[in-house]
Amino acid sequence: LLDNLESEVEQITHQVITVLKAHHDLSRRIKKRLPLSLIEAAGEIGDQMALLIHPKWVWHTPPTRFALLPTVLEAADKRLEKTERNPERDRMLRVAFSPLFARVQKAAGRKQPSLPLFYQIEAIITAMEQHRLSVFTEELSQKGAPKAKEIEAMLDALPAE
């Protein structure tokens, strides 16, 4: 049992270090002087990172999203590369994507949710990240990623504030 626990802790520690390094590199990239064509995409990626990597992220992140974080960070970096080559593509995708992301941010900003509501919101955030992968970096997305309508239905199912 102790060996298994030690192995699990080592694995989680490695994942945390990997995520923190990728987050640091991405944060440095989006905070430096950027061409105008990247500013809006970089701003949205910054909002995405603020939602995912916050002071209690290790404790609050569900295992499914924890495992997805390295891919999400890689995808954000690839998105910036794609935006440099084709800023209009990213703008068009962002116009359709942003209202849904704003709804998820609002749900995530609820103060002191009950434990069941907390898990419901965390599931929505994970679904949003899977959907974001399918929208902006299809090559990194998982088969069967949630569609926007599915996420909207999850948001609609939340109790009123």
Side-chain angles (χ1 to χ4, degrees):
L1 182 66
L2 189 57
D3 288 341
N4 197 20
L5 179 62
E6 197 171 297
S7 173
E8 185 98 10
V9 168
E10 190 174 302
Q11 180 183 359
I12 291 170
T13 302
H14 177 72
Q15 286 177 305
V16 168
I17 291 168
T18 300
V19 167
L20 287 175
K21 182 182 179 328
H23 178 259
H24 175 75
D25 293 346
L26 182 61
S27 292
R28 288 184 70 197
R29 183 171 180 191
I30 65 174
K31 288 179 182 172
K32 70 180 186 180
R33 182 173 223 127
L34 296 170
L36 284 174
S37 60
L38 291 180
I39 288 176
E40 288 182 3
E44 185 182 284
I45 290 169
D47 291 344
Q48 174 191 13
M49 293 304 109
L51 184 63
L52 299 174
I53 310 294
H54 49 81
K56 296 181 180 179
W57 74 275
V58 174
W59 181 256
H60 287 172
T61 303
T64 52
R65 191 167 70 240
F66 197 89
L68 188 65
L69 280 174
T71 304
V72 166
L73 290 160
E74 178 185 355
D77 196 53
K78 283 188 182 293
R79 178 179 170 193
L80 286 173
E81 291 171 11
K82 287 181 174 190
T83 303
E84 282 182 289
R85 292 190 305 273
N86 188 353
E88 187 60 24
R89 175 190 178 271
D90 189 82
R91 190 187 70 74
M92 296 297 287
L93 294 172
R94 197 172 53 251
V95 164
F97 184 83
S98 292
L100 183 60
F101 180 53
R103 284 190 68 197
V104 171
Q105 283 180 299
K106 184 178 178 190
R110 288 186 177 203
K111 300 289 184 218
Q112 306 272 324
S114 65
L115 195 56
L117 180 57
F118 172 80
Y119 285 125
Q120 198 175 356
I121 292 168
E122 289 302 310
I124 292 170
I125 295 169
T126 300
M128 169 58 82
E129 291 308 318
Q130 292 167 333
H131 176 63
R132 186 191 309 266
L133 288 172
S134 71
V135 170
F136 292 103
T137 49
E138 308 85 20
E139 68 275 15
L140 295 176
S141 71
Q142 299 169 337
K143 192 173 185 174
K147 306 280 188 242
K149 288 199 181 298
E150 295 171 71
I151 298 166
E152 287 170 1
M154 293 169 78
L155 287 162
D156 292 342
L158 290 174
E161 282 189 82

